[in-house]
Amino acid sequence: MQLIDGTAIAQKINAASREEVARLKTLGFTPGLAVVLVGDDPASRAYVRSKDKMCQELGMHSVKHELPASVSQADLIHIVHQLNADPAIHGILVQSPPPAHINERAVVDAIDPRKDVDGFHPLNVAKLALGDSDAFVPCTPLGCQRLLIETGIETAGANVVILGRSMIVGKPLALLLMQKGKGGDATVTVAHSRTRNLADVCHSADILIAAIGQPYFVKENFVREGAVVIDVGINRIDDPASPKGSRLVGDVAFDEVAPKCRAITPVPRGVGPMTIAMLMQNTITSCQRFAGTR
Ligand code: GUN
């Protein structure tokens, strides 16, 4: 069984990103990312902090807007418009999910698609569906695909089962893995909570990708001997034995599943660091386009 080290792979990608940032700076351009957080959900705060920190480490410009949960939709969209117009900003990310009174679709629609490094804007979703290579692709799906490529796991002709149908992971990941070319050409099934015989469907996978957001959902009987398992889940569970009183676990019951796998990602240090590495890459790509070097 191979443990896929997402942290190590992300570090390699980030090292290349750091060099590219330095090169762009010599040309007078500094990639800039703006992250907008509404409310004080602890998990979202932690994600936003790590995105900001990675920008600093790579020498990028980083702006963080932390808004109260009570912010109005109009005020939030006003901030997005200001960021659209700001030449120092090449990527805009509004952390999801926002509070219930915010219409997330309307906020995403307000982002300039050229700065939509999350790949959530309808124009980028459409481009991905059309197979247009200049689409911004959502960072977690991109990170999953890159993990498979870097680990030498062939997707062409493979039966891939994606567990979860979200717009952030499941749906774009299905589009990505069925595209023609490197890291694609897979036979993709998207399964979810309403899928009949879910364990059997998952068991048919050569590559099983769990993105359902429930701790330990994928049990030993979901996984075929020799399968590859990618765990996208980041769930915080109570654990009196750990120093914080809680810890992060994935969607996969790792201890019982891992012995059956050809390869598996851990949580943490699996997909998580790859998502951030892909966000940095998307922001650099955006900067290159604004600079006219790409
Ligand atoms: N919430 C969980 N993942 C993501 C992501 O990739 N982007 C944004 N904006 N919010 C998220």
Side-chain angles (χ1 to χ4, degrees):
M1 186 271 291
Q2 180 190 0
L3 191 64
I4 301 173
D5 186 346
T7 300
I9 296 170
Q11 270 171 2
K12 195 183 84 176
I13 295 164
N14 289 333
S17 292
R18 195 177 296 113
E19 282 184 21
E20 180 56 16
V21 170
R23 193 188 71 89
L24 283 164
K25 281 179 161 176
T26 66
L27 301 174
F29 300 96
T30 302
L33 174 68
V35 179
V36 182
L37 172 66
V38 183
D40 51 12
D41 174 64
S44 291
R45 285 189 90 87
Y47 297 144
V48 166
R49 208 177 318 121
S50 44
K51 288 162 186 170
D52 185 44
K53 188 163 155 256
M54 187 56 71
C55 282
Q56 317 279 354
E57 283 180 29
L58 301 189
M60 291 164 51
H61 173 56
S62 171
V63 176
K64 205 166 44 165
H65 287 270
E66 301 195 37
L67 309 172
S70 59
V71 74
S72 73
Q73 166 109 353
D75 286 351
L76 178 55
I77 288 180
H78 180 69
I79 288 172
V80 169
H81 285 154
Q82 282 179 332
L83 294 169
N84 284 344
D86 184 344
I89 295 299
H90 308 97
I92 302 169
L93 178 152
V94 181
Q95 187 65 31
S96 180
H101 70 280
I102 300 287
N103 176 348
E104 189 173 10
R105 275 291 310 278
V107 175
V108 169
D109 286 359
I111 297 173
D112 182 336
R114 296 172 304 167
K115 297 189 177 186
D116 170 39
V117 287
D118 254 335
F120 293 173
H121 188 282
L123 187 70
N124 285 309
V125 176
K127 282 183 175 178
L128 174 61
L130 291 165
D132 187 334
S133 62
D134 76 7
F136 277 120
V137 178
C139 303
T140 301
L142 212 48
C144 291
Q145 183 189 45
R146 189 69 182 271
L147 268 186
L148 293 170
I149 292 171
E150 297 287 334
T151 313
I153 294 163
E154 184 58 81
T155 53
N159 287 321
V160 176
V161 175
I162 299 169
L163 190 45
R165 54 180 158 177
S166 72
M167 283 308 297
I168 296 185
V169 186
K171 225 185 261 190
L173 183 54
L175 289 168
L176 199 55
L177 297 180
M178 71 171 106
Q179 272 182 348
K180 289 185 178 170
K182 192 175 172 193
D185 292 320
T187 304
V188 180
T189 302
V190 180
H192 47 78
S193 55
R194 301 294 300 270
T195 297
R196 221 180 298 137
N197 302 326
L198 186 57
D200 292 343
V201 171
C202 293
H203 199 269
S204 70
D206 301 316
I207 302 171
L208 176 62
I209 305 178
I212 200 158
Q214 294 192 40
Y216 304 131
F217 187 87
V218 173
K219 305 278 197 287
E220 179 274 331
N221 64 313
F222 282 53
V223 179
R224 188 176 57 70
E225 194 75 40
V228 173
V229 173
I230 305 291
D231 190 350
V232 180
I234 302 180
N235 309 291
R236 187 165 286 284
I237 61 162
D238 291 337
D239 178 9
S242 87
K244 279 188 180 170
S246 68
R247 67 193 165 93
L248 295 178
V249 300
D251 291 352
V252 176
F254 185 90
D255 292 348
E256 61 182 78
V257 168
K260 298 183 86 173
C261 295
R262 174 181 148 204
I264 185 169
T265 61
V267 176
R269 305 176 69 84
V271 174
M274 292 298 292
T275 296
I276 296 184
M278 296 299 105
L279 176 65
M280 299 298 122
Q281 281 208 326
N282 279 352
T283 305
I284 291 167
T285 298
S286 176
C287 179
Q288 289 167 334
R289 288 181 186 158
F290 276 97
T293 68
R294 183 181 180 111

Coordinates of all heavy atoms in Angstrom, one line a residue, residues 36 44 47 51 93-97 104 118 120 138-141 168-169 275, ligand 1:
V36 N -12.2 36.6 0.6 CA -13.3 37.3 1.3 C -13.9 36.2 2.2 O -14.4 35.2 1.7 CB -14.3 37.9 0.4 CG1 -15.4 38.6 1.1 CG2 -13.6 38.9 -0.6
S44 N -13.7 27.7 8.1 CA -13.5 28.7 7.0 C -12.4 29.6 7.4 O -11.5 30.0 6.6 CB -14.8 29.5 6.7 OG -15.7 28.6 6.1
Y47 N -9.1 27.9 6.8 CA -8.8 27.8 5.4 C -8.2 29.1 4.9 O -7.2 29.2 4.2 CB -10.0 27.4 4.5 CG -10.5 26.1 4.8 CD1 -11.9 25.8 4.7 CD2 -9.7 25.0 5.1 CE1 -12.5 24.6 5.0 CE2 -10.3 23.7 5.4 CZ -11.6 23.5 5.3 OH -12.2 22.3 5.6
K51 N -4.5 30.1 3.2 CA -4.4 30.6 1.9 C -3.5 31.9 1.9 O -2.6 32.1 1.2 CB -5.8 30.9 1.3 CG -6.5 29.7 0.9 CD -8.0 29.9 0.7 CE -8.7 28.6 0.4 NZ -10.2 28.7 0.5
L93 N -11.5 35.2 -4.3 CA -12.1 34.0 -3.8 C -13.1 34.4 -2.6 O -12.6 35.1 -1.7 CB -11.0 33.1 -3.3 CG -11.4 31.7 -2.6 CD1 -10.3 30.8 -2.9 CD2 -11.7 31.9 -1.1
V94 N -14.3 34.1 -2.7 CA -15.2 34.3 -1.6 C -15.5 32.9 -0.9 O -16.0 32.0 -1.6 CB -16.6 34.9 -2.1 CG1 -17.5 35.1 -0.9 CG2 -16.3 36.2 -2.8
Q95 N -15.0 32.8 0.3 CA -15.1 31.5 1.0 C -16.5 31.0 1.1 O -17.4 31.7 1.5 CB -14.4 31.6 2.3 CG -14.2 30.3 3.1 CD -13.3 29.4 2.4 OE1 -12.3 29.8 1.8 NE2 -13.5 28.1 2.5
S96 N -16.7 29.7 0.7 CA -18.0 29.1 0.7 C -18.0 28.1 1.9 O -17.0 27.5 2.3 CB -18.1 28.3 -0.6 OG -19.4 27.7 -0.6
P97 N -19.1 27.9 2.6 CA -20.4 28.6 2.3 C -20.6 29.9 3.1 O -20.1 30.0 4.2 CB -21.4 27.5 2.9 CG -20.6 26.9 4.1 CD -19.2 26.9 3.7
E104 N -25.4 33.0 -2.7 CA -24.0 32.7 -3.2 C -23.8 32.9 -4.7 O -22.8 33.3 -5.2 CB -23.6 31.4 -2.7 CG -22.1 31.1 -2.9 CD -21.6 29.8 -2.2 OE1 -22.5 29.0 -1.8 OE2 -20.4 29.5 -2.2
D118 N -11.3 30.4 -8.3 CA -12.0 29.3 -7.8 C -12.7 28.4 -8.9 O -13.1 27.3 -8.7 CB -13.1 29.8 -6.9 CG -12.8 29.5 -5.4 OD1 -12.1 28.6 -5.1 OD2 -13.4 30.3 -4.6
F120 N -15.6 29.0 -10.1 CA -17.1 28.9 -9.8 C -18.0 29.7 -10.7 O -19.2 29.5 -10.7 CB -17.3 29.3 -8.3 CG -16.7 28.4 -7.3 CD1 -16.7 28.8 -5.9 CD2 -16.1 27.2 -7.6 CE1 -16.1 28.0 -4.9 CE2 -15.5 26.4 -6.6 CZ -15.5 26.8 -5.3
P138 N -11.9 24.5 -10.7 CA -11.9 24.5 -9.2 C -10.7 23.8 -8.6 O -10.2 22.8 -9.1 CB -13.2 23.9 -8.8 CG -14.1 24.2 -10.0 CD -13.2 24.1 -11.2
C139 N -10.2 24.4 -7.5 CA -8.8 24.0 -7.0 C -8.8 22.6 -6.4 O -7.8 21.8 -6.6 CB -8.4 25.0 -6.0 SG -8.3 26.6 -6.6
T140 N -9.9 22.1 -5.8 CA -9.8 20.8 -5.2 C -9.8 19.7 -6.2 O -9.0 18.8 -6.2 CB -10.9 20.6 -4.1 OG1 -10.8 21.6 -3.1 CG2 -10.9 19.2 -3.5
P141 N -10.8 19.8 -7.2 CA -10.7 18.8 -8.3 C -9.3 18.8 -9.0 O -8.8 17.7 -9.3 CB -11.8 19.3 -9.3 CG -12.8 20.0 -8.4 CD -11.9 20.6 -7.4
I168 N -18.4 22.2 -5.9 CA -17.0 22.6 -5.6 C -16.1 21.4 -5.9 O -15.0 21.6 -6.3 CB -16.9 22.9 -4.1 CG1 -17.7 24.2 -3.8 CG2 -15.5 23.1 -3.6 CD1 -17.5 24.8 -2.4
V169 N -16.6 20.1 -5.7 CA -15.7 19.0 -6.0 C -16.3 18.0 -7.0 O -15.8 17.9 -8.1 CB -15.4 18.2 -4.6 CG1 -14.4 17.1 -4.9 CG2 -14.8 19.2 -3.6
T275 N -5.0 21.5 -2.8 CA -6.0 22.5 -3.1 C -5.4 23.9 -3.0 O -5.5 24.7 -3.9 CB -7.2 22.5 -2.1 OG1 -7.8 21.2 -2.3 CG2 -8.2 23.6 -2.3
Ligands
GUN1 N1 -15.1 26.1 0.6 C1 -14.5 24.8 0.6 N2 -13.7 24.7 -0.4 C2 -13.7 25.9 -1.1 C3 -13.0 26.4 -2.2 O1 -12.2 25.7 -2.9 N3 -13.3 27.7 -2.5 C4 -14.1 28.5 -1.8 N4 -14.3 29.7 -2.2 N5 -14.8 28.0 -0.8 C5 -14.5 26.8 -0.4

